[in-house]
Amino acid sequence: MNPLLILSSWQCVLLITSFLTFHLKSVSTAVDPDEKRDAVELIESRGFKAETHFVRTYDGYILALHRIVDPEAVNATRKVVLLQHGLLASSADFIINAPGEGMFDESSQEVGKNIGFTLTRFGYDVWLSNSRGNTYCRNHTTLRPTQKKFWDFTWDEHALIDLPTTIDYVRNTTNSKTIGYVGHSQGTLIMFALMSSKKQYNDAIKPFIALAPIGTLNGVRTPVRYLANNQILLDYFRWRGGEFLPSNDFIRNLAESVCESRYTYICTNILFLLAGYDQLQLNFTRTAVYLTHTPAGSSAWNLCHLAQGVKTRNRVQRFDLGRLGNIEKYGQEEPPQYHFERITNKYIALMSSQNDWLSDQKDVDYIRNKLVVPPILDYVVEYPQWNHLDFIWGKDAGRIINGKIIKLLDTYAESGGGGVEI
Ligand SMILES: *[C@@H]1O[C@H](CO)[C@@H](O)[C@H](O)[C@H]1NC(C)=O
Ligand SMILES: *[C@@H]1O[C@H](CO)[C@@H](O)[C@H](O)[C@H]1NC(C)=O
Ligand SMILES: *[C@@H]1O[C@H](CO)[C@@H](O)[C@H](O)[C@H]1NC(C)=O
Ligand SMILES: *[C@@H]1O[C@H](CO)[C@@H](O)[C@H](O)[C@H]1NC(C)=O
């Protein structure tokens, strides 16, 4: 089908649902308070303390980092772990499941679903990072989000600037030689790219746990595929630049009214269309909460860059700006490649699944084959329907994913140097 047609029917759906919004308000059930909470409020509503740290990158972006503090263990010396979200997401990803589900339940030995809170209860010093351009990072020393130039970035900048700056800051603040890292989706891609490019970060991370790992994107099965195959559309996006899918009032209203109503299936189908169908693992009554926090915004260029990855066979490379643009930016006609075979980190754990429309097993194979040091864990979720979002939102994420994350961190993460000052 013609991708332009798909895009316009997509817009049609948005338009119709927005007209319905007003009418649906009256039939929708009560709004969940988590829809209105930001990451800090989510943390505090669950009985933890939250710290927000602002970190400045050398190119002027101000990144917000959220830290979860357990008020009952303020003086403990803790192992430090950084959790990094994926595309169009935010720090809220790791703390967004229903309350009570993230705590350690002594009786059932279930480790719960909110990996951020679970790790805190397990004695970790938990930091949640945000990439430039998302809900919490629309801040720059000289540029404003209304300026196109603010959005001239892709995951290249997340990988080569945001991530190392964040890691340095967390290591400095906690006085830690190494920190643990859990990335989801694009959060794994940027770590692979960083470790391929700057050798010293291989030694700073122990372990690196990759949920739904991304390198090449040749097996992608979602609408991104259609975008990727339409050169005119791609060129237009690249030329237009600017912001893509911010968490604005329009989307929020839509999420609140439609997803809360008896038309929930519209929202769940949008999610399934993007991530793979898994009816059993998605908590339908919570869709509205998820969709008021996601999408959290990124740049149009970033979407272009990812779409380019769908077409680039067996290579992971920097943003292709066209021949002239490449010469100007990189000093060569083709964008430089990331060489995953240069990764020297010895503590990489891969967790992937079979029904992931964005992290296909063929593409995970690319990573497996490139890594020179064999991973400490190469786990493919046994449950066949497990999709891209189930790693963070799945009803059984506690049992299937988080238990393994804790075990890996307990085994491989190192204690910080001086403990935590609060
Ligand atoms: C933490 O340490 C400080 C200073 O050593 C002390 O005053 C405080 O009571 C301690 N807090 C707890 C909860 O142990
Ligand atoms: C922007 O960053 C500064 C710290 O440099 C912070 O005080 C301010 O709250 C931030 N603004 C937003 C909207 O995040
Ligand atoms: C971390 O500490 C080093 C050495 O003191 C310093 O050069 C660097 O700017 C710090 N980085 C951050 C992000 O705080
Ligand atoms: C599903 O979400 C609802 C609403 O947030 C929550 O009350 C419930 O505990 C969740 N159920 C499961 C099984 O996750």
Side-chain angles (χ1 to χ4, degrees), residues 259-383:
C259 309
E260 282 282 9
S261 73
R262 59 198 148 98
Y263 298 105
T264 300
Y265 65 88
I266 296 177
C267 301
T268 52
N269 276 298
I270 291 174
L271 286 178
F272 288 152
L273 197 64
L274 294 170
Y277 275 79
D278 186 5
Q279 309 258 3
L280 290 177
Q281 285 295 326
L282 182 70
N283 183 350
F284 283 70
T285 43
R286 212 166 165 73
T287 319
V289 175
Y290 296 141
L291 285 182
T292 45
H293 290 268
T294 321
S298 187
S299 66
W301 274 20
N302 193 25
L303 268 287
C304 272
H305 190 182
L306 290 163
Q308 288 173 359
V310 178
K311 294 180 90 173
T312 321
R313 292 267 148 214
N314 295 316
R315 258 178 308 154
V316 184
Q317 61 184 26
R318 295 190 61 172
F319 187 38
D320 191 342
L321 288 148
R323 205 180 69 88
L324 290 178
N326 290 340
I327 291 174
E328 191 182 321
K329 179 150 188 197
Y330 311 119
Q332 56 190 67
E333 290 185 10
E334 294 288 324
Q337 289 183 43
Y338 291 103
H339 296 279
F340 283 17
E341 64 274 17
R342 291 184 188 157
I343 295 172
T344 57
N345 189 289
K346 297 192 197 69
Y347 308 97
I348 298 178
L350 305 175
M351 291 188 168
S352 58
S353 68
Q354 297 161 59
N355 183 37
D356 189 329
W357 287 15
L358 295 164
S359 167
D360 188 84
Q361 281 300 315
K362 279 195 295 268
D363 293 313
V364 182
D365 277 342
Y366 172 87
I367 299 171
R368 290 183 180 110
N369 294 334
K370 282 282 173 181
L371 290 180
V372 174
V373 185
I376 51 175
L377 176 76
D378 181 358
Y379 173 64
V380 181
V381 176
E382 290 96 1
Y383 175 90

Side-chain angles (χ1 to χ4, degrees), residues 55-56 164-166 168-169 172:
V55 194
R56 219 182 82 190
T165 309
T166 302
D168 289 350
Y169 180 86
N172 282 2

